[in-house]
Amino acid sequence: MRTIIKNGMVVTSGSTFKADILIEGESITSISNDIATRSGDKLIDAEGQYVLPGGIDVHTHLEWPLMDTETADDFVSGTRAAAVGGITSIINFTKPKKGASLIATQEEWIEKGKKSVIDYGLHAIINEYSDRVLEELPILAETYGVGSIKLFMAYKGEMMVNDLEMYKIMKKAGELGVITNVHAENGDIIDEMIAQALAEGKTDPIYHGYTRPTLLEAEATGRALAIAEAANAPIYIVHVSCSEALEKVVEAKKRGVQAFAETCPQYLVLDISYLDQPNFEGGKYVCSPPLREKWNQDVLWRGLQTGMISVAGSDHCPFRFKDQKAMGRNNFSKIPNGLPGLEDIFSILYHFGVHEGRISLNQFVEIISTNPAKIFGIPKKGDISIGYDADLVILDPNGSRVITSESQYQNVDYNVYEGLEVQGIITNVLSRGEVIVKDGHFTGDPGRGKYLHRKRQNRDSSLHAQKNGQTRETIQ
Ligand code: DUC
Ligand code: ZN
Ligand code: ZN
């Protein structure tokens, strides 16, 4: 089966040019001017539109248990929303029960993911240190293609690990070329601040913001980076929300730590004032780290412009307002933490980034597709190139749409970007050559998504820290 995308403006992280794209089966087999058609070819006319690599959202929480409930999107509704929004691959987090085998957990989550509409990978969360973790990590990496794990420095009792646990786990991960995602907030002090606020009768959603200050994100970020450096391990700081935390990443990069940073659309566009709305409306915006003072947004955009932040991930962690967020109506600490965003990340980043002139179109591709594929070792994705998977998004830059929960695919009763008009309409989406969104309508099938076996980090890089007692500077 051949498909030809005709007359589109092809955009990669490195260039923009007019060309046709030939797809045979699941892969791109030719990119050139005026590819001749044969009878039986499927033709898609992309005149006046951009053809971009599909978005890769490496930060999703589908079917994810948190704070005595579970996120509202499963792998069907979540990946359908992703597809419509221009995302053709996700990496979701697993969630092991305390003491559970990481391998058994991985198997369980691969099974859950089989319903997906698009391709899916899994980061393995590790919530404790044990000999078994050390035994299972190499199996996860080699047999299951799990090139990334995740550690939490907050959510004590549920997921938080201490510094020594982090060091030991990261050391092993580093030896294996497995990158560690870190949620960096100082959980101990946050818990104390929450208890103090509640004791003073401060129960509204805004206190979620006040009890998780930027200082404690920056402190934990700096500590995580130092632990990664000591462990000689690659590290990816998820959801950097503020200037002070980003400074820690920049300092670490200067020292030669193999550190990457991610931010999320909500930190680029929304701010702490959203938490301070009456009638518990602020509860809709509770996520961790919390939304910050507005001035941080410019700093985060500069981070994306300069490459200090490599990736935008959605941190899609959706909870319904009416019965899930409502669990914390009288106590902000009981509001499940998280926002929906998987369906809109591509549009929000395109609109506020490219359309409003903060980043170039090529930088957009780099941030939403190329960098996530490279950092997390996803083969044959993140670019438009011969031999690559035909994961493609066709976007009409002249159209616009208004974001609303009325017409969204995300399985929640609100949208944090409600009423916002964004430039650019996603007209068609292809996943491994199959059209899964046609003229804006979803046409894919649950269960067609494949599990992503991922590659590990290249441990030969001169970016890696001390070898045989040499300093980084002496290793070239
Ligand atoms: N932050 C959230 O807002 N939700 C899920 C977990 C997290 O780190
Ligand atoms: Zn997190
Ligand atoms: Zn998250």
Side-chain angles (χ1 to χ4, degrees), residues 59 61 93 150 152 183 238-239 315 317:
H59 192 153
H61 297 266
F93 294 104
K150 173 145 187 209
F152 282 80
H183 174 121
V238 298
H239 51 45
D315 198 0
C317 192

Side-chain angles (χ1 to χ4, degrees), residues 64 93 96 102 123-129 133 137 148-155 159-173 179-185 220 224 227-228 231 233-239:
W64 207 67
F93 294 104
L102 296 178
H123 306 287
I125 285 181
I126 302 180
N127 55 13
E128 63 194 342
Y129 173 80
V133 167
L137 259 179
S148 52
I149 58 169
K150 173 145 187 209
L151 302 176
F152 282 80
M153 300 171 83
Y155 297 103
M159 290 175 289
M160 180 169 149
V161 285
N162 66 32
D163 292 355
L164 182 58
E165 289 177 307
M166 281 182 79
Y167 173 75
K168 287 179 174 173
I169 295 168
M170 276 194 194
K171 196 159 186 300
K172 186 69 186 176
I179 190 165
T180 302
N181 292 267
V182 175
H183 174 121
E185 287 187 295
I227 294 170
I235 180 169
Y236 178 93
I237 307 288
V238 298
H239 51 45

Side-chain angles (χ1 to χ4, degrees), residues 113-148:
K114 283 185 178 166
K115 310 186 281 297
S116 295
V117 169
I118 56 171
D119 294 348
Y120 70 102
L122 295 166
H123 306 287
I125 285 181
I126 302 180
N127 55 13
E128 63 194 342
Y129 173 80
S130 68
D131 287 345
R132 182 155 78 185
V133 167
L134 293 193
E135 281 159 27
E136 291 190 329
L137 259 179
I139 303 169
L140 273 187
E142 281 152 27
T143 311
Y144 292 85
V146 177
S148 52

Side-chain angles (χ1 to χ4, degrees), residues 281-349:
E281 280 292 301
K284 291 178 177 172
Y285 301 90
V286 165
C287 59
S288 291
L291 301 176
R292 301 301 192 186
E293 296 289 337
K294 198 167 176 55
W295 63 267
N296 288 281
Q297 294 171 1
D298 287 342
V299 180
L300 297 176
W301 280 111
R302 261 202 304 285
L304 289 168
Q305 286 155 7
T306 56
M308 290 297 109
I309 301 178
S310 306
V311 172
S314 69
D315 198 0
H316 181 75
C317 192
F319 297 103
R320 287 177 304 277
F321 183 56
K322 69 170 187 308
D323 60 319
Q324 294 186 294
K325 290 285 186 182
M327 290 157 57
R329 196 169 269 281
N330 300 312
N331 177 344
F332 71 86
S333 76
K334 300 257 186 291
I335 303 171
N337 289 195
L339 309 184
L342 177 59
E343 189 166 340
D344 300 309
I345 179 173
F346 197 97
S347 288
I348 292 286
L349 198 70

Side-chain angles (χ1 to χ4, degrees), residues 409-430:
Y409 285 78
Q410 295 171 149
N411 190 26
V412 271
D413 50 359
Y414 73 103
N415 188 304
V416 293
Y417 307 109
E418 184 71 36
L420 222 142
E421 184 169 358
V422 286
Q423 192 67 26
I425 293 182
I426 293 164
T427 58
N428 293 273
V429 178
L430 287 82

